[in-house]
């Protein structure tokens, strides 16, 4: 336990009862110092009063007046209705939920100060649920803006303010950063910055506070970003010091494999192969992300890496998020690697008992050199003889814990081998994210598509022009092409999603009596799914009705047309991934996004982005902007506590500065580094295991 934890407990434990402590914990406040860093989400201006007659409708204003009438009404629903007069005009106040104490507040003759939004109601200007305080005639207005804190049910602003004020008195607010650095970067002092934000002085611009551009905000953002950068650097250093097998096999197997491919590797693939190969040859664990847009050819790069492990006497594992994808990898790689005499097994949850037993034994004895599967690969019953490389395909579909579990499969009872890890993703990580949340990873990028691909043409079509789409699908399929028909996404319920898939399938069958139509969805048995995919691959199915189970990885080059129903319901990366299922062969491909009007503003923005862009990086950047990093990543996914104050899209200069500072601080000022991490991450560091 660090000293700050002990202090915190002394501080929090005796003062709060369990309920308050629990509510604070909900806000992430566990230590007294967390209160200091619990900064306002916005500021309210209670420094002046607006005459009721001048209050603009829709504006947040503060008024003060005398209650001239108040009653509890029961129709149309139970509510407290009061009239307040200030000499300039009258305002109706309505409370739909209220406590007896509030009836007392609104007793006739009382003087009240109200803060709220004015609207035009049935009886003229009104405020619904304003913030209300009973005041005396000469009660002064506050001189500063009032901070409003993020809070949770049952914890009032007043309580929070009191606790925070105490913490500001009690806690050590001395600077963690050397004075020279503060001077060089022209930062505010930590102490004055936090005090300023909790108690902004009267003359400050509310705009700079709200937009978080004020120097006080910038100091806190910098500190937060710096803590993140330091922690990432330390992880990196720590990893470099761990032992991993140096996979220095001769290379004959790899060369043979590359030579046996029906195509030469692209320049970008060759570069990635070399980068990964160099890492694997070192004696410490690789954590590398192989990033490449859909269809850029990540799988063969992964296969080369696996062969490097294998020809160095180790096993490799390849994990995919869906059974369809795992099976596709298994089929492809078995075919490709059979000539090299490599033993490949596959393991998913749906294997028959006997098959599973055989696979497990083969993995445990080391006979299996490459194990391909779903998350079944890291379940308890799986033991690897000698796992040297764990590959995670479509890594964004897995959580940190799952990736970690696979890595831990390097341990046998006798020894621990920390395996190398290669993650693959078609969801590119924008630069700002890779500098922040992913700063611990090395990244290889396939920035070139195999030659001969023609970009997919995207069309946006309103649902009332469905007939034209149907005609187009028929023409395409009758002239030898194949098509996907993607069902509407029903996120709320799996049962409903299933029903929608079946309904769509039936409708499509009736619409296209002259085509061979197939159906694939997530609830089918694995054997059924693989049967459908095999028939689609063999062109025995011309039109495949599918749910988003085909979203990742599926590779059927002859499919050149895709229709996505209710495209407006889907997320950007989902649309990009789905669209990536076509455009894999040499014929021109088209993706038709059917949408239902009217579109919400965000749906319109998303569709515009996907319509105008084919580059996954651009799409990811737009996605990040539309959703923010929290949703884009999910903290489960990144394993990092989310940034609370800094916005990596807006604070790029601070992010750059923090990155440049971190390494220097660790090297030159180890004590300051420790203090800074302690202040900012304290108990949260346990999450930082990417
Ligand atoms: P992704 O990066 O989306 O996982 P895949 O590995 O599935 O892409 O590759 C997409 C398709 O491109 C596959 O059919 C694969 O065989 C083919 N491919 C991969 N590399 C090349 C290359 N250098 N030249 C031509 N085709 C390639
Ligand atoms: Mg893939």
């Amino acid at each position: 336990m660090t000293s700050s934890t002990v202090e915190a407990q002394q501080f929090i434990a005796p003062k709060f009862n369990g309920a308050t402590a629990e509510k604070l914990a909900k806000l992430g406040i566990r230590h007294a110092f967390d209160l200091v860093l619990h900064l306002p989400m916005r500021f309210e201006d209670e420094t002046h009063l607006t005459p009721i007659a001048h209050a603009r409708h829709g504006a947040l204003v503060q008024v003060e007046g005398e209650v001239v009438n108040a009653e509890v009404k029961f129709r149309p629903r139970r509510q407290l209705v009061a009239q307040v007069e200030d000499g300039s005009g009258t305002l109706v106040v309505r409370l739909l939920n209220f406590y007896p104490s509030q009836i007392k507040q609104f007793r006739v003759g009382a003087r009240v100060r109200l803060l709220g939004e004015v609207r035009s109601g049935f009886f003229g200007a009104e405020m619904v649920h304003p913030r209300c305080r009973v005041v005396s005639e000469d009660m002064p207005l506050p001189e500063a803006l009032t901070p409003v804190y993020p809070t949770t049910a049952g914890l009032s602003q007043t309580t929070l303010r009191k606790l925070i004020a105490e913490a500001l008195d009690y806690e050590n607010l001395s600077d963690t950063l050397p004075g020279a650095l503060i001077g060089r970067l022209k930062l505010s002092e930590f102490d004055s910055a936090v005090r300023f934000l909790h108690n902004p002085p009267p003359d400050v611009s509310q705009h700079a506070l709200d937009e978080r551009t004020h120097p006080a905000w910038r100091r806190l953002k910098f500190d937060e970003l710096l803590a993140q950068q330091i922690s990432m650097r330390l992880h990196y250093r720590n990893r470099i010091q761990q032992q991993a097998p140096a996979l220095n096999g001769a290379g004959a197997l790899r060369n043979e494999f590359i030579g046996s491919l029906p195509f030469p590797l692209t320049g970008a693939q060759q570069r990635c192969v070399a980068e990964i190969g160099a890492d694997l040859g070192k004696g410490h664990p690789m954590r590398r992300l192989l990033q490449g847009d859909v269809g850029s050819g990540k799988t063969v790069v992964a296969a080369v890496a696996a062969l490097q492990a294998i020809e160095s006497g180790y096993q490799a594992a390849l994990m995919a998020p869906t059974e369809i994808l795992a099976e596709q990898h298994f089929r492809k790689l078995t075919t490709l690697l059979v000539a090299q005499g490599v033993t490949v097994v596959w393991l998913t949850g749906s294997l028959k008992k006997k098959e599973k037993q055989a696979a497990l034994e083969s993995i445990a004895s080391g006979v299996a050199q490459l194990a391909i599967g779903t998350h079944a690969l890291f379940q308890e019953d799986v033991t690897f003889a000698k796992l040297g490389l764990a590959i995670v395909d479509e890594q964004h579909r897995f959580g940190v814990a799952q990736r970690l579990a696979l890595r831990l499969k390097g341990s046998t009872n006798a020894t621990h081998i920390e395996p190398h890890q290669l993650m693959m993703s078609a969801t590119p990580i924008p630069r700002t994210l890779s500098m922040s949340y992913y700063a611990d990873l090395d990244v290889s990028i396939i920035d070139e598509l195999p030659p001969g691909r023609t970009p997919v043409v995207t069309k946006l079509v309103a649902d009332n022009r469905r007939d034209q789409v149907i005609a187009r699908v028929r023409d395409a399929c009758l002239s030898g092409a194949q098509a996907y028909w993607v069902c509407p996404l029903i996120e709320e319920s799996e049962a409903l999603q299933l029903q929608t898939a079946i309904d769509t399938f039936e409708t499509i069958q009736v619409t296209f009596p002259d085509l061979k139509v197939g159906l694939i969805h997530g609830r089918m048995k694995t054997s059924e799914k693989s049967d459908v995919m095999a028939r689609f691959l063999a062109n025995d199915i011309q039109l495949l009705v599918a749910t988003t189970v085909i979203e990742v990885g599926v590779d059927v080059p002859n499919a050149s047309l895709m229709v996505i129903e209710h495209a407006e319901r889907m997320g950007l990366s989902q649309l990009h991934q789905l669209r990536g299922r076509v455009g894999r062969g040499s014929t021109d491909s088209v993706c038709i996004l059917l949408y239902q009007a009217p579109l919400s503003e965000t749906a319109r923005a998303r569709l515009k982005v996907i319509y105008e862009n084919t580059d996954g990086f651009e799409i990811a950047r737009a996605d990040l902007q539309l959703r923010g990093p929290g949703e884009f990543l999910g903290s489960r996914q990144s394993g990092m506590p989310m940034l609370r104050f800094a916005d990596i899209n807006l604070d790029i200069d601070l992010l750059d500065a923090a990155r440049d500072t971190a390494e220097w601080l660790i090297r030159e000022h180890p004590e300051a580094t420790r203090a800074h991490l302690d202040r900012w991450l304290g108990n949260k560091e346990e999450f930082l295991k990417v």
Side-chain angles (χ1 to χ4, degrees), residues 276 290 297-307 318 389 391 422 424:
I276 296 166
L290 175 61
K298 295 183 287 295
T299 318
V300 287
V301 175
V304 176
L307 285 173
L318 169 57
L389 170 65
I391 304 170
L422 178 65
M424 303 197 281

Side-chain angles (χ1 to χ4, degrees), residues 263-266 269 293-300 332 450-451 453 555 584:
F263 44 74
L265 295 185
T266 61
Q269 283 172 318
D293 213 341
V294 279
S296 62
K298 295 183 287 295
T299 318
V300 287
K332 257 200 193 164
R453 300 272 172 83
D555 184 34
R584 305 195 141 233

Side-chain angles (χ1 to χ4, degrees), residues 48-348:
H48 62 269
L49 296 173
T50 305
I52 288 174
H54 295 174
R56 258 191 313 116
H57 285 209
L60 185 77
V61 292
Q62 180 171 242
V63 302
E64 185 175 308
E66 193 184 309
V67 178
V68 290
N69 184 30
E71 57 183 314
V72 177
K73 291 197 173 166
F74 292 90
R75 271 163 217 282
R77 54 172 293 183
R78 185 169 177 270
Q79 53 182 301
L80 177 62
V81 181
Q83 270 162 312
V84 175
E85 212 179 74
D86 74 348
S88 80
T90 311
L91 180 77
V92 175
V93 176
R94 292 202 292 134
L95 301 184
L96 303 176
N97 300 299
F98 53 92
Y99 300 104
S101 64
Q102 285 172 303
I103 303 182
K104 248 192 248 162
Q105 267 188 333
F106 284 97
R107 120 193 100 69
V108 172
R111 188 167 192 82
V112 288
R113 202 172 274 175
L114 305 167
L115 184 80
E117 202 176 292
V118 181
R119 302 199 302 206
S120 33
F122 190 69
F123 301 104
E126 69 171 28
M127 275 188 191
V128 180
H129 283 265
R131 220 176 54 222
C132 170
R133 224 175 330 159
V134 177
V135 293
S136 56
E137 185 113 23
D138 48 2
M139 174 108 126
L141 289 163
E143 288 192 349
L145 296 175
T146 313
V148 182
Y149 294 101
T151 188
T152 180
L155 190 64
S156 70
Q157 291 290 329
T158 321
T159 309
L160 260 177
R161 273 184 211 133
K162 199 172 119 263
L163 293 172
I164 289 167
E166 279 169 8
L168 286 175
D169 282 346
Y170 178 93
E171 285 294 306
N172 172 8
L173 303 183
S174 61
D175 227 291
T176 49
L177 303 182
L181 177 70
I182 294 176
R184 180 154 56 80
L185 297 179
K186 301 196 175 60
L187 296 169
S188 308
E189 304 277 338
F190 178 80
D191 181 321
S192 58
V194 278
R195 288 189 196 284
F196 182 95
L197 292 174
H198 287 295
N199 297 301
D203 54 346
V204 66
S205 132
Q206 183 163 9
H207 183 77
L209 279 184
D210 284 346
E211 297 296 311
R212 303 193 170 185
T213 51
H214 191 279
W217 268 127
R218 287 177 58 83
R219 168 64 205 257
L220 283 144
K221 291 174 174 190
F222 176 79
D223 274 19
E224 182 181 40
L225 289 166
L226 181 62
Q228 187 187 47
Q229 291 294 320
I230 292 173
S231 133
M232 290 293 194
R233 293 298 317 162
L234 292 178
H235 271 272
Y236 195 87
R237 290 183 163 209
N238 184 20
R239 170 155 64 79
I240 302 292
Q241 277 154 18
Q242 283 170 19
Q243 299 282 314
L247 304 175
N248 281 319
L253 210 52
R254 275 171 277 165
N255 291 334
E256 204 183 293
F257 169 73
I258 293 170
S260 75
L261 291 171
F263 44 74
L265 295 185
T266 61
Q269 283 172 318
Q270 284 173 21
R271 181 173 36 75
C272 293
V273 161
E275 286 168 4
I276 296 166
D279 269 12
L280 294 178
K282 292 178 192 150
H284 53 77
M286 172 179 83
R287 296 278 172 276
R288 191 172 274 277
L289 180 69
L290 175 61
Q291 219 176 74
D293 213 341
V294 279
S296 62
K298 295 183 287 295
T299 318
V300 287
V301 175
V304 176
L307 285 173
Q308 185 167 346
I310 292 165
E311 67 183 332
S312 309
Y314 285 84
Q315 293 170 296
L318 169 57
M319 178 163 78
T322 65
E323 293 210 343
I324 297 180
L325 187 52
E327 182 177 4
Q328 182 184 287
H329 281 325
F330 176 66
R331 254 192 298 109
K332 257 200 193 164
L333 292 178
T334 313
T335 326
L336 286 174
L337 295 175
V338 68
Q340 274 72 48
V342 173
T343 309
V344 188
V345 299
W346 88 303
L347 188 67
T348 69

Side-chain angles (χ1 to χ4, degrees), residues 570-601:
M570 296 196 186
L572 268 179
S573 80
Q574 195 163 35
L575 287 170
H576 180 60
Q577 290 270 1
L578 279 171
R579 184 172 60 181
R581 299 309 114 215
V582 291
R584 305 195 141 233
S586 48
T587 47
D588 291 351
S589 294
V590 177
C591 178
I592 299 174
L593 306 176
L594 273 176
Y595 66 87
Q596 186 84 54
L599 290 172
S600 73
E601 211 166 296

Side-chain angles (χ1 to χ4, degrees), residues 25 91 116 482 535 562 582 646:
L91 180 77
Q482 289 173 273
R535 283 172 48 213
M562 171 173 278
V582 291

